[in-house]
Amino acid sequence: MLPWRRLLRPLAALALAAAALAPTTAAANTAASAPSSGWNNWSCKPSAAHPRPVVLVHGTFGNSVDNWLGLAPYLVHRGYCVYSLDYGQLPNVPFFHGLGPIDKSAEQLRVFVDKVLAATGSAETDIIGHSQGGMMPRHYLKFLGGADKVNALIGLAPDNHGTTLLGFTKLLPYFPGAEDLISSATPGLADQIAGSAFLDKLNAGGDTVPGVTYTVISTQYDQVVTPYRSQFLTGPNVRNVVLQDLCPLDFSEHVTIGLTDRIAWHEALNALDPAHAERTTCASVFD
């Protein structure tokens, strides 16, 4: 019988390849065209109507292009200055990011936000993140001074309290070496498991920090961040939204809520500009 460590390595590699097969092709075909679609335009100056730039933070296995091929142009078309970054890179792993230690990824976000604010002349930014990208900025806000530079954090299916992966993570203790392998090879994944030391520290003393508004947009069909209500935050200036309460016909799951769901995007737009919010319904797909 093969040792567990030798068995898990090919399984982990297979899972990584399967999860990211579509983004691989997209990254190769679209990386060069991203600037022409209007985001990461470092000469963009926020307007009076939209005075804060928007920073987009991709999810695990994502990158600054693929995760935002839909949402970034959607926001640019509506007059926002939009920027996206790559974070959590591992050596010799192209395209698939968000795998490094999350506290280090938050430091990368801090540097990027400072760059955006300097380029735009703005005092604050708004952040929209998908999956890990909706949770990781909370470390920046809480421990790295981000609360003074961020007006709003909007999470699309964020794993704010970790995930059980439909209960799979509870089986890890029964596979000798599995937890050690995940922690050493992909620490960003280990940090997202419900009950991790990273999440315990992040959520200790409350989910939020003063001065920032929080919006969590979730889908009851999420199969990655489970249970889906673990995404919700508790505290002042928090709004937790379930897509199916806005449109019962929305069947988006964890990936599509960030990549293609215009109902989720419309609700994010409301969070960016609550003074001019318009009710989100099934018809928002045509907006």
Side-chain angles (χ1 to χ4, degrees):
M1 180 180 296
L2 290 172
W4 282 110
R5 186 175 296 273
R6 290 179 59 194
L7 177 61
L8 284 168
R9 285 185 189 276
L11 290 177
L14 179 61
L16 175 61
L21 180 59
T24 304
T25 303
N29 293 335
T30 63
S33 64
S36 66
S37 58
W39 88 91
N40 283 336
N41 174 5
W42 295 97
S43 63
C44 184
K45 297 300 180 183
S47 65
H50 304 304
R52 293 178 300 276
V54 178
V55 172
L56 302 178
V57 186
H58 65 74
T60 309
F61 297 123
N63 60 62
S64 61
V65 176
D66 293 341
N67 215 138
W68 307 119
L69 290 172
L71 180 56
Y74 178 93
L75 294 173
V76 169
H77 181 68
R78 286 155 179 80
Y80 287 89
C81 294
V82 181
Y83 303 87
S84 62
L85 77 156
D86 289 309
Y87 71 87
Q89 301 94 328
L90 293 180
N92 302 315
V93 180
F95 301 121
F96 313 126
H97 305 317
L99 298 172
I102 297 181
D103 58 345
K104 301 301 182 184
S105 295
E107 294 177 4
Q108 292 178 273
L109 176 62
R110 176 180 60 181
V111 172
F112 189 80
V113 167
D114 286 347
K115 179 181 178 182
V116 169
L117 295 180
T120 59
S122 303
E124 291 184 310
T125 186
D126 293 319
I127 295 176
I128 300 177
H130 180 210
S131 192
Q132 180 190 164
M135 173 271 289
M136 176 270 280
R138 291 179 51 224
H139 183 91
Y140 165 58
L141 298 178
K142 194 168 187 177
F143 300 113
L144 301 177
D148 293 333
K149 301 176 182 180
V150 176
N151 170 71
L153 172 60
I154 302 159
L156 304 175
D159 49 349
N160 282 314
H161 296 94
T163 178
T164 66
L165 283 175
L166 295 174
F168 173 77
T169 58
K170 295 180 180 179
L171 299 177
L172 288 176
Y174 297 97
F175 293 84
E179 291 178 282
D180 291 342
L181 175 62
I182 294 173
S183 296
S184 61
T186 54
L189 294 181
D191 286 344
Q192 295 177 75
I193 295 175
S196 71
F198 172 83
L199 287 169
D200 285 348
K201 178 181 178 181
L202 178 63
N203 294 313
D207 292 345
T208 64
V209 296
V212 180
T213 61
Y214 297 80
T215 302
V216 175
I217 304 173
S218 303
T219 170
Q220 67 185 35
Y221 300 113
D222 199 310
Q223 81 285 25
V224 175
V225 180
T226 57
Y228 76 90
R229 291 187 179 274
S230 68
Q231 301 171 20
F232 293 172
L233 295 172
T234 301
N237 298 320
V238 169
R239 183 164 185 259
N240 297 307
V241 182
V242 179
L243 283 178
Q244 287 71 35
D245 292 338
L246 306 176
C247 174
L249 299 178
D250 191 324
F251 297 104
S252 290
E253 39 69 64
H254 184 79
V255 175
T256 53
I257 191 176
L259 297 185
T260 62
D261 193 326
R262 293 175 68 92
I263 295 172
W265 300 350
H266 188 275
E267 192 62 15
L269 199 68
N270 284 341
L272 290 175
D273 189 7
H276 299 94
E278 299 179 356
R279 184 183 174 208
T280 301
T281 67
C282 294
S284 298
V285 298
F286 304 110
D287 186 13

